[in-house]
Amino acid sequence: MYLDTSTVRSPTGKSYTRHLLRTSYRKQGKVKHDTIANLSSCSPEEIKAIRLALRHKQDLTALVSVKDDLRIKQGLSVGAVWTVFTVAKRLGITAALGSTRAGKLALWQVIARVIDQGSRLSAVRLAGSHLACDVLNLEKFNEDHLYKNLDWLCENQEKIEERLFAKRKGLSACLSTCGHAQAGGAQAGKKQDGKQPQLFLYDVTSSYLEGTKNSLAAFGYGRDGKKGKRQIVIGLLCDETGTALSIEVFPGNTKDTATFSSQVRKVADRFGGGEITFVGDRGMIKSRQIEKLQNEGFHYITAITKPQIEKLLKTGLFQMSLFDQDLAEVETCEGIRYLLRRNPLRVEEIAQTRQSKLAAMQRKVGEQNLYLAEHPRAQVKVARRKVKEKIEQLRLSGWLSERADGRKIFLVEDTAALSEETKLDGCYVLKTDLDKQAAPKEMVHDR
């Protein structure tokens, strides 16, 4: 294999050089040539490198004799920062945070969270390995700057939320100078298509804390299952598509329903306009919350609890046959609508759970009977008490009990009580005050 180079001069005086990577061989006593590749587009430096490689093709180690003088160093990564930065600009996050140093620091905290979640110190270290300062046009910073930046974010939270809302909903009015809640949202301008969001979704969660110095930390109902840990309660308000509009943190001992009033006021003052409907679960929107919504002229979609369903069945407002329909509707004279449905998947799930609990009880009874058989001095009443406590723990006492025959314990099923308990398996009832013409039952159910 060799490099064949030739120069051709045209009648006009221009010269053209072509480089061919070729191989030669003999065939029937004649020398033949095959062209492997046309390298004419390569630069002179690349041609020299190829010639050098061909010259030392028998011992390529001669080409790396200078390896001891080379040092390989990883440069700053740019791809991840640039990608998230571009997405942030498209979503309006960059504009909402602003072009000040504080806004850029906040933007880096957002980008760092996306790339690699961690503490403020980890965000500083991440900036040291990524081209963060160059992409964001930001001076170097440390973790103290980021902690102070959190205070800036807290002070400007409403302004940032309103700018993001304006970006998403296409509001034409400039919200950059809005510093108070009453100056934003619906009062700042109209949406370009003349419509405002009419459906808002709200729910809460909690997060436990390892430390004790958080001003909002308190003992409350913990969803994390961490006993003995203080926590905070977090409320998230979203629009009809599930996109977050606002987040608010409450003391850890705040009940879910106690967080609702501030959300109603927030929607009324900052994000509302026209007919507003709140969607919340049965633990969020209760009678007192419904009263607050009605006072604001808002509507609601929620669900009622199983005891409430049983009460309405007893009063005759509902009939069990309605749950056999695909989606039944009952409307009261006060304009309250109830949508009834049975979910067959939930029926199967509940039945499987009930059977697994029954199997657990049977194992428990087997263990106690074995213990009684192996320990003649063991008391039957103690074994029965343990079985009864397990029944109550699994919440099966409504249809399952225990009895003893000599020194052997048996489980007793009340078939009538079990039938009564299973009749509402998979059944749920939605409740709303929306007008039937404006919101058909299918629309309410889908929302």
Side-chain angles (χ1 to χ4, degrees):
M1 187 182 299
Y2 63 97
L3 199 61
D4 182 9
T5 301
S6 63
T7 302
V8 179
R9 187 177 298 275
S10 67
T12 59
K14 292 184 177 180
S15 61
Y16 301 90
T17 302
R18 62 114 173 103
H19 304 280
L20 300 178
L21 183 62
R22 311 187 74 179
T23 183
S24 60
Y25 59 94
R26 286 185 175 274
K27 185 177 181 181
Q28 298 178 353
K30 295 183 179 181
V31 178
K32 302 288 185 178
H33 302 277
D34 273 349
T35 300
I36 300 174
N38 190 338
L39 306 179
S40 301
S41 60
C42 294
S43 66
E45 292 78 10
E46 292 169 336
I47 296 298
K48 289 181 180 179
I50 294 172
R51 288 186 187 278
L52 183 62
L54 291 174
R55 189 179 305 134
H56 296 278
K57 61 184 177 181
Q58 302 299 331
D59 183 17
L60 292 178
T61 57
L63 300 179
V64 293
S65 59
V66 295
K67 62 180 181 180
D68 295 333
D69 298 328
L70 297 179
R71 294 293 182 269
I72 299 176
K73 183 179 180 181
Q74 174 66 46
L76 296 179
S77 300
V78 65
V81 176
W82 184 260
T83 300
V84 182
F85 176 62
T86 303
V87 173
K89 286 198 295 185
R90 292 177 181 175
L91 295 177
I93 297 175
T94 303
L97 294 174
S99 58
T100 63
R101 174 174 170 80
K104 293 177 180 179
L105 284 174
L107 179 59
W108 170 243
Q109 299 213 58
V110 173
I111 295 175
R113 280 279 170 173
V114 176
I115 298 175
D116 185 20
Q117 297 80 8
S119 63
R120 302 319 127 193
L121 179 58
S122 69
V124 173
R125 291 170 176 168
L126 192 67
S129 61
H130 288 70
L131 211 63
C133 293
D134 295 80
V135 172
L136 304 182
N137 192 20
L138 183 63
E139 296 179 2
K140 289 187 177 181
F141 54 88
N142 55 40
E143 61 271 22
D144 291 334
H145 296 139
L146 295 185
Y147 278 113
K148 291 180 181 178
N149 186 245
L150 295 179
D151 293 332
W152 179 87
L153 278 169
C154 184
E155 295 168 359
N156 292 271
Q157 178 179 348
E158 290 186 1
K159 187 189 299 183
I160 295 169
E161 290 175 347
E162 289 161 9
R163 287 174 176 173
L164 289 171
F165 177 74
K167 167 69 176 179
R168 179 165 179 79
K169 297 304 176 183
L171 295 174
S172 58
C174 177
L175 298 180
S176 60
T177 58
C178 295
H180 303 285
Q182 62 267 25
Q187 299 186 15
K190 298 290 184 180
K191 193 179 177 183
Q192 291 177 353
D193 58 6
K195 296 181 180 179
Q196 287 282 10
Q198 297 183 342
L199 193 74
F200 291 88
L201 313 176
Y202 179 67
D203 203 359
V204 299
T205 186
S206 61
S207 181
Y208 76 94
L209 304 171
E210 290 292 350
T212 60
K213 299 301 182 181
N214 191 300
S215 59
L216 296 176
F219 292 106
Y221 170 64
R223 296 164 180 80
D224 299 305
K226 293 284 187 177
K227 296 182 179 180
K229 299 291 185 181
R230 289 180 172 87
Q231 66 173 18
I232 54 175
V233 173
I234 306 165
L236 179 63
L237 181 69
C238 301
D239 65 8
E240 66 276 5
T241 65
T243 301
L245 296 178
S246 177
I247 190 169
E248 189 170 349
V249 181
F250 302 90
N253 56 0
T254 306
K255 295 182 178 180
D256 293 359
T257 52
T259 68
F260 194 74
S261 297
S262 64
Q263 309 306 313
V264 173
R265 176 53 53 192
K266 191 181 298 183
V267 169
D269 292 344
R270 297 169 56 194
F271 305 122
E275 295 289 327
I276 298 297
T277 302
F278 263 89
V279 181
D281 60 26
R282 56 180 58 87
M284 179 61 61
I285 301 181
K286 298 183 178 180
S287 56
R288 185 175 297 179
Q289 285 68 45
I290 289 175
E291 182 180 352
K292 292 181 181 296
L293 290 173
Q294 291 174 339
N295 292 337
E296 293 288 345
F298 293 168
H299 302 285
Y300 62 88
I301 300 175
T302 186
I304 63 175
T305 62
K306 184 177 179 180
Q308 290 173 325
I309 296 176
E310 293 173 340
K311 181 179 179 180
L312 293 176
L313 283 169
K314 291 179 180 179
T315 61
L317 183 63
F318 297 164
Q319 295 79 41
M320 284 302 303
S321 59
L322 293 175
F323 288 105
D324 296 330
Q325 301 180 25
D326 182 52
L327 182 61
E329 180 175 352
V330 175
E331 186 173 5
T332 67
C333 56
E334 293 85 4
I336 305 301
R337 299 164 60 197
Y338 295 95
L339 307 182
L340 295 78
R341 187 174 184 268
R342 185 192 298 272
N343 186 340
L345 295 179
R346 279 293 295 154
V347 174
E348 184 177 350
E349 289 175 358
I350 295 173
Q352 291 176 352
T353 301
R354 189 177 288 117
Q355 285 300 317
S356 65
K357 290 182 177 181
L358 179 60
M361 283 308 311
Q362 292 170 344
R363 291 193 297 271
K364 182 69 174 180
V365 170
E367 292 172 1
Q368 293 301 315
N369 285 333
L370 179 61
Y371 186 84
L372 290 173
E374 295 177 349
H375 301 78
R377 300 181 62 179
Q379 298 183 16
V380 176
K381 64 177 183 180
V382 174
R384 289 187 62 181
R385 186 181 73 244
K386 292 181 179 180
V387 172
K388 185 177 180 179
E389 290 174 351
K390 187 68 174 181
I391 291 175
E392 294 176 351
Q393 179 187 353
L394 297 179
R395 299 182 180 180
L396 302 176
S397 57
W399 58 275
L400 189 66
S401 60
E402 42 70 37
R403 69 176 179 84
D405 185 1
R407 290 183 61 80
K408 197 168 186 179
I409 302 174
F410 298 90
L411 292 175
V412 180
E413 297 185 23
D414 187 337
T415 55
L418 179 59
S419 177
E420 180 68 19
E421 177 152 330
T422 59
K423 72 177 183 179
L424 288 178
D425 284 358
C427 295
Y428 60 90
V429 178
L430 304 183
K431 179 181 178 181
T432 183
D433 65 341
L434 286 169
D435 181 72
K436 185 182 296 186
Q437 301 297 326
K441 62 181 181 179
E442 294 80 10
M443 179 187 295
V444 174
H445 183 269
D446 291 342
R447 286 182 168 179

